[in-house]
Amino acid sequence: MSMNNEIPDWKAWANWRVAADSFDSRREPYQRYETYCSQFRANLGGIAMVTTDLPKHLARARKGGLMTSTRRRLWDTLDWMSMQYSAGAPVEQLAEIWPYALEWAEEFGRFDKAYDDSPENTSGDRIPHAPLVTESYWIVALRLVCFGLLTGHAAQMPRVMAFLDYVNANLGIHDGLLERLVAPWAPGRPIPDKATRHLPYRKLFKVFAAEPDKRPALMATYLDEWYHASRREPYIDQHGEGDVAFYGYWAWEAAATTFVLGIDDSSYREMQFYPADLADLARRIAAGE
């Protein structure tokens, strides 16, 4: 099932819920404990249910049902990782979860293609596993890439990009930021000067193009402008007393870019929206610590 050849230890994962007396140390100040507990149960419960029930229903289930349930599991897993980081969980948890996220992405991809190839697909349309021009860019593509890079799984980027290429590549759709991030581990791919979602991500191209000594200041500017530039993205303005699914405000791509380019983040690591602990984890793992 996973790179570890085992199913998750559901009891251990359930015990990862951050306790109320530790929640004051959360990384995301806008996160509310009531919402966190509710979403923790919902996300982990959904992940476990799909994983446990899938083998029982494979023979009889409709292909569309298999596709939608495994897609939901992938989204829930990435949301859960975001939420755990926000709540102050150890970053090593994310490193343990990510291989499952990749396996589950690939399993969803197989069911999605099987649906596309089946008579159930009455329109004949083929939709990418993660359309790079829609909100799915952040929901799936950006987080799957960034979490992988930041948790020591950069070598798996060719698998991630193969998943993202489905239909996108046939349409000539490649994202300039993702391609720059994965290029050291997935060489030879097209690297366009276009970001499929444009803002805020296009602003990072300046960081990649700059001389190394100019990069910290440019990254600080990116983080300073990140929230306003993200106003059309699905994660904006999700917090508050009426929140039902708030996972935190984090520029995952800023940490991933910092790691990939080897930028000294000392001048901006305390800035809002920068997931410094994940950048630190990526560097420790890369250094063999």
Side-chain angles (χ1 to χ4, degrees):
M1 163 61 67
S2 76
M3 292 176 188
N4 305 318
N5 236 353
E6 60 188 25
I7 62 170
D9 183 340
W10 301 117
K11 186 174 181 181
W13 284 19
N15 286 334
W16 284 350
R17 192 183 80 176
V18 174
D21 57 0
S22 301
F23 198 67
D24 285 345
S25 301
R26 65 193 181 277
R27 296 183 181 94
E28 173 52 78
Y30 289 119
Q31 193 175 32
R32 298 189 308 128
Y33 195 64
E34 180 184 359
T35 302
Y36 167 71
C37 291
S38 172
Q39 288 304 113
F40 185 98
R41 287 191 301 269
N43 284 149
L44 186 54
I47 294 164
M49 183 174 67
V50 171
T51 306
T52 303
D53 288 352
L54 199 60
K56 306 174 189 174
H57 300 296
L58 274 177
R60 300 187 309 276
R62 292 173 58 85
K63 289 179 170 56
L66 295 170
M67 173 191 67
T68 54
S69 62
T70 52
R71 179 177 58 202
R72 182 72 258 170
R73 176 179 60 180
L74 174 60
W75 288 29
D76 283 348
T77 304
L78 295 169
D79 284 347
W80 191 50
M81 293 175 73
S82 296
M83 181 176 60
Q84 284 298 93
Y85 182 81
S86 291
V91 286
E92 289 77 13
Q93 283 184 13
L94 275 65
E96 186 172 330
I97 297 168
W98 190 86
Y100 292 97
L102 176 57
E103 292 284 342
W104 292 337
E106 292 176 330
E107 189 165 42
F108 157 59
R110 290 191 291 271
F111 287 127
D112 190 23
K113 184 179 186 304
Y115 168 79
D116 284 348
D117 293 340
S118 76
E120 286 183 39
N121 179 17
T122 54
S123 71
D125 294 338
R126 289 175 179 268
I127 297 171
H129 303 324
L132 298 181
V133 296
T134 72
E135 292 185 346
S136 181
Y137 174 83
W138 176 82
I139 294 169
V140 177
L142 186 82
R143 291 192 295 178
L144 193 61
V145 167
C146 291
F147 290 164
L149 291 172
L150 293 168
T151 59
H153 300 291
Q156 302 303 324
M157 287 304 113
R159 290 173 61 187
V160 174
M161 300 313 286
F163 168 79
L164 296 178
D165 276 346
Y166 180 74
V167 179
N168 282 314
N170 289 340
L171 296 173
I173 298 172
H174 297 275
D175 175 66
L177 176 57
L178 297 182
E179 297 295 351
R180 282 166 172 75
L181 288 173
V182 305
W185 300 275
R189 296 176 55 84
I191 305 180
D193 284 323
K194 180 182 178 183
T196 55
R197 290 291 285 180
H198 193 59
L199 292 177
Y201 316 106
R202 179 74 173 77
K203 292 171 175 279
L204 278 176
F205 290 12
K206 293 179 185 176
V207 180
F208 279 88
E211 293 297 320
D213 63 324
K214 301 285 195 282
R215 286 169 173 166
L218 288 169
M219 186 64 80
T221 299
Y222 179 80
L223 291 166
D224 192 50
E225 297 173 349
W226 181 81
Y227 192 85
H228 180 70
S230 299
R231 57 192 177 277
R232 294 185 181 88
E233 289 302 88
Y235 48 80
I236 289 302
D237 292 338
Q238 294 297 307
H239 70 287
E241 288 302 313
D243 67 346
V244 292
F246 176 57
Y247 300 104
Y249 297 129
W250 300 106
W252 309 115
E253 67 282 3
T257 301
T258 296
F259 166 63
V260 170
L261 294 178
I263 305 172
D264 177 358
D265 64 2
S266 56
S267 63
Y268 57 82
R269 61 179 290 108
E270 301 300 326
M271 289 186 69
Q272 190 177 12
F273 314 127
Y274 181 67
D277 291 352
L278 271 177
D280 292 344
L281 175 68
R283 285 190 287 259
R284 288 200 304 272
I285 294 173
E289 297 175 13

